[in-house]
Amino acid sequence: TTWLGLTLSCAQCHDHKFDPVSQREFYQLYAIFNSTVDECEGTIYKGKQISAKSPLNDLSSEAFVMADRKEPLLTHLKIRGAFDVDGEVVEPGVVDSIHPSRAAVRNRISLACWIIDRDNPLTARVAINRIWQSVFGIGIVRTSEDFGLRGERPSHPELLDWLAIEFPRRDWSMKAMLRLIVTSATYRQTSRVSEEAYLRDPENRLLGRGARFRVDAEIVRDI
């Protein structure tokens, strides 16, 4: 949902009814995380401990992160999604119908590389759409959490494509993309509008005026 804008959980008990995601692919993704350790046993943490330094005050601190198991667990496809009814064993993998993997995806780092591959058609579009939504109050794709067949089509597909190309070209810098958007002529328009123009486009989907909407409390300071 965050990086690919897909409702993958729909495929937990059957093939996705709308998007090209099979139940097997759901459990292939699940197998990647099923082979990690992130829980505590009593006072002994089974993950990996790292040391991190704050960029603000140079203070160091210890932190626990997820770690890969030395012996991966077997992951079974669950019949009709029932946790206690095992089906066939599945190997770790990704959703090839969305973006075929060039190499075997066996762990979280290879999954991360697959997600941010420049040829992955979803990642940059989903991420930049969320940035656009934070600035204008509504995304180019209104359903920011669903880019599937049940999601809404983009109001400006060429604009979304261009921004999705520009995002990785600028080294995936959210700061650079925010600067690009808020210094654009589109964003710098006045939010004042005539009644006639408002009635013609009440949600400003045509981007004919500046954004005017209530932001979340956490965003007020940033603005």
Side-chain angles (χ1 to χ4, degrees), residues 5 18-19 32 37 42-43 49-50 84 90 94-95 109 123 131 137 141-142 151 168 172 198 204 207 215:
F18 305 103
D19 299 332
I32 296 174
V37 181
T43 59
Q49 191 173 22
I50 63 171
D84 57 347
V90 297
V94 292
V95 186
I109 187 64
T123 306
I131 295 175
V141 176
R142 185 200 304 266
W172 301 94
Y198 177 81
N204 195 27
L207 303 175
V215 299

Side-chain angles (χ1 to χ4, degrees), residues 10-28:
C10 294
Q12 187 171 351
C13 55
H14 51 69
D15 289 350
H16 203 294
K17 291 184 178 296
F18 305 103
D19 299 332
V21 180
S22 68
Q23 184 187 18
R24 181 183 181 84
E25 287 174 322
F26 173 90
Y27 284 101
Q28 285 177 337

Side-chain angles (χ1 to χ4, degrees), residues 136 138 156 189 201-212:
F136 285 92
I138 186 171
H156 299 74
Q189 297 177 104
D201 183 23
E203 294 185 335
N204 195 27
R205 298 298 279 157
L206 301 178
L207 303 175
R209 60 181 183 273
R212 186 179 184 182

Side-chain angles (χ1 to χ4, degrees), residues 74-79 82-89:
L74 286 180
T75 299
H76 295 265
L77 186 150
K78 300 296 183 179
I79 304 301
F83 74 93
D84 57 347
V85 184
D86 290 341
E88 62 178 301
V89 174

Side-chain angles (χ1 to χ4, degrees), residues 94-152:
V94 292
V95 186
D96 285 333
S97 58
I98 301 299
H99 174 48
S101 176
R102 298 172 182 172
V105 177
R106 299 295 183 187
N107 50 31
R108 289 174 295 123
I109 187 64
S110 57
L111 174 62
C113 291
W114 176 80
I115 289 175
I116 64 168
D117 191 310
R118 287 174 181 262
D119 291 331
N120 191 322
L122 287 176
T123 306
R125 286 174 173 81
V126 170
I128 202 66
N129 188 68
R130 292 186 189 276
I131 295 175
W132 187 275
Q133 178 178 287
S134 70
V135 173
F136 285 92
I138 186 171
I140 299 174
V141 176
R142 185 200 304 266
T143 52
S144 58
E145 75 290 346
D146 187 0
F147 270 53
L149 292 177
R150 297 286 286 180
E152 185 174 301

